[in-house]
PDB file of all heavy atoms in Angstrom:
ATOM      1  N   LEU A  55     105.355 115.097  98.302  1.00 97.00           N
ATOM      2  CA  LEU A  55     105.382 114.209  97.146  1.00 97.00           C
ATOM      3  C   LEU A  55     106.594 114.524  96.280  1.00 97.00           C
ATOM      4  O   LEU A  55     107.090 115.653  96.294  1.00 97.00           O
ATOM      5  CB  LEU A  55     104.115 114.406  96.298  1.00 97.00           C
ATOM      6  CG  LEU A  55     102.769 114.212  96.982  1.00 97.00           C
ATOM      7  CD1 LEU A  55     101.636 114.670  96.072  1.00 97.00           C
ATOM      8  CD2 LEU A  55     102.579 112.757  97.374  1.00 97.00           C
ATOM      9  N   PRO A  56     107.023 113.548  95.465  1.00 96.00           N
ATOM     10  CA  PRO A  56     108.066 113.854  94.483  1.00 96.00           C
ATOM     11  C   PRO A  56     107.570 114.944  93.527  1.00 96.00           C
ATOM     12  O   PRO A  56     106.356 115.113  93.339  1.00 96.00           O
ATOM     13  CB  PRO A  56     108.261 112.538  93.728  1.00 96.00           C
ATOM     14  CG  PRO A  56     107.556 111.493  94.514  1.00 96.00           C
ATOM     15  CD  PRO A  56     106.569 112.173  95.398  1.00 96.00           C
ATOM     16  N   LEU A  59     104.759 113.151  89.850  1.00 95.00           N
ATOM     17  CA  LEU A  59     104.088 111.956  90.358  1.00 95.00           C
ATOM     18  C   LEU A  59     102.903 111.626  89.451  1.00 95.00           C
ATOM     19  O   LEU A  59     101.862 112.276  89.501  1.00 95.00           O
ATOM     20  CB  LEU A  59     103.605 112.159  91.801  1.00 95.00           C
ATOM     21  CG  LEU A  59     102.953 110.938  92.459  1.00 95.00           C
ATOM     22  CD1 LEU A  59     103.914 109.750  92.503  1.00 95.00           C
ATOM     23  CD2 LEU A  59     102.468 111.282  93.846  1.00 95.00           C
ATOM     24  N   PHE A  93     100.617 112.655 101.116  1.00 97.00           N
ATOM     25  CA  PHE A  93     101.948 112.046 101.140  1.00 97.00           C
ATOM     26  C   PHE A  93     101.853 110.600 100.683  1.00 97.00           C
ATOM     27  O   PHE A  93     100.759 110.057 100.503  1.00 97.00           O
ATOM     28  CB  PHE A  93     102.577 112.162 102.540  1.00 97.00           C
ATOM     29  CG  PHE A  93     101.797 111.482 103.629  1.00 97.00           C
ATOM     30  CD1 PHE A  93     102.102 110.187 104.034  1.00 97.00           C
ATOM     31  CD2 PHE A  93     100.764 112.140 104.274  1.00 97.00           C
ATOM     32  CE1 PHE A  93     101.386 109.567 105.051  1.00 97.00           C
ATOM     33  CE2 PHE A  93     100.047 111.533 105.293  1.00 97.00           C
ATOM     34  CZ  PHE A  93     100.364 110.242 105.676  1.00 97.00           C
ATOM     35  N   ILE A  94     103.011 109.998 100.499  1.00 96.00           N
ATOM     36  CA  ILE A  94     103.089 108.598 100.093  1.00 96.00           C
ATOM     37  C   ILE A  94     103.623 107.799 101.264  1.00 96.00           C
ATOM     38  O   ILE A  94     104.587 108.194 101.920  1.00 96.00           O
ATOM     39  CB  ILE A  94     104.016 108.422  98.872  1.00 96.00           C
ATOM     40  CG1 ILE A  94     103.442 109.155  97.669  1.00 96.00           C
ATOM     41  CG2 ILE A  94     104.219 106.939  98.561  1.00 96.00           C
ATOM     42  CD1 ILE A  94     104.353 109.163  96.457  1.00 96.00           C
ATOM     43  N   LYS A  95     102.973 106.680 101.528  1.00 95.00           N
ATOM     44  CA  LYS A  95     103.437 105.750 102.555  1.00 95.00           C
ATOM     45  C   LYS A  95     103.468 104.381 101.907  1.00 95.00           C
ATOM     46  O   LYS A  95     102.419 103.838 101.555  1.00 95.00           O
ATOM     47  CB  LYS A  95     102.499 105.769 103.758  1.00 95.00           C
ATOM     48  CG  LYS A  95     102.958 104.897 104.903  1.00 95.00           C
ATOM     49  CD  LYS A  95     102.021 105.036 106.087  1.00 95.00           C
ATOM     50  CE  LYS A  95     102.497 104.180 107.239  1.00 95.00           C
ATOM     51  NZ  LYS A  95     101.600 104.295 108.391  1.00 95.00           N
ATOM     52  N   GLY A  96     104.670 103.843 101.745  1.00 92.00           N
ATOM     53  CA  GLY A  96     104.810 102.586 101.014  1.00 92.00           C
ATOM     54  C   GLY A  96     104.382 102.814  99.571  1.00 92.00           C
ATOM     55  O   GLY A  96     104.911 103.683  98.897  1.00 92.00           O
ATOM     56  N   GLN A  98     101.134 103.543  98.932  1.00 93.00           N
ATOM     57  CA  GLN A  98      99.825 104.167  99.057  1.00 93.00           C
ATOM     58  C   GLN A  98      99.935 105.683  99.029  1.00 93.00           C
ATOM     59  O   GLN A  98     100.842 106.267  99.610  1.00 93.00           O
ATOM     60  CB  GLN A  98      99.154 103.760 100.366  1.00 93.00           C
ATOM     61  CG  GLN A  98      98.735 102.313 100.426  1.00 93.00           C
ATOM     62  CD  GLN A  98      97.977 102.029 101.702  1.00 93.00           C
ATOM     63  OE1 GLN A  98      98.377 102.442 102.778  1.00 93.00           O
ATOM     64  NE2 GLN A  98      96.872 101.310 101.559  1.00 93.00           N
ATOM     65  N   LEU A  99      98.984 106.285  98.358  1.00 96.00           N
ATOM     66  CA  LEU A  99      98.830 107.733  98.360  1.00 96.00           C
ATOM     67  C   LEU A  99      97.848 108.055  99.479  1.00 96.00           C
ATOM     68  O   LEU A  99      96.726 107.545  99.495  1.00 96.00           O
ATOM     69  CB  LEU A  99      98.277 108.165  96.991  1.00 96.00           C
ATOM     70  CG  LEU A  99      98.307 109.623  96.614  1.00 96.00           C
ATOM     71  CD1 LEU A  99      99.701 110.215  96.744  1.00 96.00           C
ATOM     72  CD2 LEU A  99      97.812 109.784  95.183  1.00 96.00           C
TER      73      LEU A  99
END
Side-chain angles (χ1 to χ4, degrees):
L55 303 170
L59 183 59
F93 61 95
I94 296 174
K95 184 177 181 180
Q98 291 185 315
L99 193 54

